[in-house]
Amino acid sequence: MPIRPLRQLIAAALIAAQTTATAEPAAQYLGSYRWTQPDPLFGGVSGIELDRTGTLLTAITDRGLLIRGRIARQNGRITGVDVKTVEPLRARDFVPLRDKGTDAEGLVVTPQGVVFVSFEQIHRILRYDPHRDEIRRLPEPPGVARLGKNSGFEALAQHPDGALFTIPERSGGRQAPFPLLRFDGSTWKVAARIPRRGPFLPVGADFDGDGRLYLLERTITPLGFRSRIRRFVLSAPDLAEVTLLTTRPNLHDNLEGIAVWRDARGVTRLTMVSDDNFLRFQRTELVDYAVTE
């Protein structure tokens, strides 16, 4: 049997074994696709957005590139990525970002085509408006001064009501919750506090059409990366926290970006992307899950 299908079957079996037959929602593994490109600058993909059909892709990289393309699927599984454009992210003076300023992590693409990108090392969030040919920097979220250079606002998401949300990768203590910050167009305010559970740290986020927040978290072990996805209802007093997925080490690579969409049957799908850190022993992969309710 070819290595790739065998690996996918093993992964599916392991995840199925982790999911008990209960009424609790869970994320069901569908498949993985190793994404490669001939461009030597390709890699470090840390943020992803998909359109409502899960087909049109926008991604960002640690070297400050914005990638747009189209995902091909067969029988619900990813079979290829047709890259249409690759362009550098730019500063407010429209000069391509350089050096430490390129470390893009979180991504939002609005229905109107406006792009928001959060960066670490030089912590900031930029707004790219193609309609006005305008690039501007959003006000700083609270707590920026306490962030480490590699522990910034990696999780960035837009609520269906249009508000922008972000979560820092660090909470300030092992027992301290993560602040969920909401931008109302002028200022950032703490909208909720996400409980910190175990060693996992936020690296990606997205909302579904019902306004539920999906938080992708990651931890690193001697045996490889582990990922977790939790879902929250912001209007619920206890946030109605549900853990949809917790993987064993090295099941997937370094998953950092997540996109939530619904397929033709109305099933909520989660597509994630891994950051290979430009290392040969890591890989850029797109991973698909379906949420079972």
Side-chain angles (χ1 to χ4, degrees):
M1 181 179 290
I3 294 175
R4 178 60 55 182
L6 177 59
R7 184 165 179 262
Q8 291 180 347
L9 288 171
I10 292 172
L14 287 167
I15 293 169
Q18 295 174 12
T19 305
T20 59
T22 68
E24 288 294 316
Q28 185 69 39
Y29 177 71
L30 298 179
S32 301
Y33 173 79
R34 185 162 186 174
W35 183 11
T36 61
Q37 295 290 140
D39 189 336
L41 294 178
F42 179 76
V45 182
S46 51
I48 185 176
E49 280 275 60
L50 300 180
D51 70 344
R52 292 182 178 180
T53 69
T55 302
L56 298 181
L57 172 147
T58 306
I60 50 173
T61 80
D62 294 345
R63 290 182 178 172
L65 296 180
L66 181 70
I67 302 170
R68 288 188 171 95
R70 179 180 293 271
I71 292 177
R73 283 187 173 84
Q74 187 172 1
N75 298 323
R77 291 189 174 187
I78 298 175
T79 57
V81 179
D82 181 14
V83 172
K84 301 296 185 182
T85 63
V86 179
E87 57 184 297
L89 291 166
R90 299 178 183 274
R92 286 174 289 176
D93 58 3
F94 293 92
V95 174
L97 298 175
R98 297 179 56 190
D99 303 324
K100 293 181 179 180
T102 65
D103 196 356
E105 296 292 342
L107 173 67
V108 163
V109 180
T110 74
Q112 296 76 34
V114 176
V115 175
F116 293 89
V117 180
S118 63
F119 298 82
E120 63 180 12
Q121 296 198 51
I122 301 176
H123 303 298
R124 67 210 190 278
I125 298 175
L126 296 182
R127 180 183 186 272
Y128 296 86
D129 188 340
H131 308 294
R132 298 182 179 180
D133 199 24
E134 175 186 78
I135 302 172
R136 67 181 180 90
R137 182 169 177 167
L138 270 59
E140 281 192 352
V144 168
R146 297 190 298 272
L147 297 175
K149 68 176 184 177
N150 288 318
S151 302
F153 295 101
E154 291 205 13
L156 190 66
Q158 186 181 43
H159 191 276
D161 68 6
L164 202 65
F165 285 78
T166 190
I167 308 169
E169 191 179 357
R170 304 286 177 176
S171 64
R174 291 184 180 275
Q175 305 302 319
F178 299 99
L180 176 64
L181 303 169
R182 182 182 185 275
F183 184 63
D184 62 8
S186 58
T187 59
W188 293 92
K189 294 183 179 178
V190 177
R193 296 193 181 275
I194 304 297
R196 180 166 178 166
R197 306 198 187 281
F200 291 89
L201 301 175
V203 289
D206 202 2
F207 286 95
D208 65 15
D210 297 322
R212 295 178 294 186
L213 175 68
Y214 293 73
L215 180 63
L216 171 64
E217 299 170 292
R218 171 197 63 198
T219 188
I220 304 173
T221 77
L223 298 178
F225 295 97
R226 297 182 68 200
S227 299
R228 182 173 71 189
I229 300 173
R230 289 189 287 167
R231 187 174 72 186
F232 302 90
V233 179
L234 302 188
S235 59
D238 61 353
L239 298 179
E241 177 184 345
V242 175
T243 299
L244 299 174
L245 174 71
T246 305
T247 70
R248 66 166 177 82
N250 204 36
L251 183 60
H252 302 304
D253 206 277
N254 178 28
L255 297 180
E256 283 199 1
I258 182 171
V260 180
W261 54 286
R262 282 181 178 157
D263 63 21
R265 299 175 298 160
V267 175
T268 298
R269 298 278 292 269
L270 312 174
T271 300
M272 290 166 282
V273 68
S274 67
D275 178 353
D276 68 355
N277 293 304
F278 300 97
L279 297 174
R280 291 185 177 181
F281 57 85
Q282 288 187 243
R283 62 191 180 275
T284 301
E285 63 177 347
L286 293 167
V287 179
D288 268 341
Y289 280 79
V291 178
T292 58
E293 302 287 353

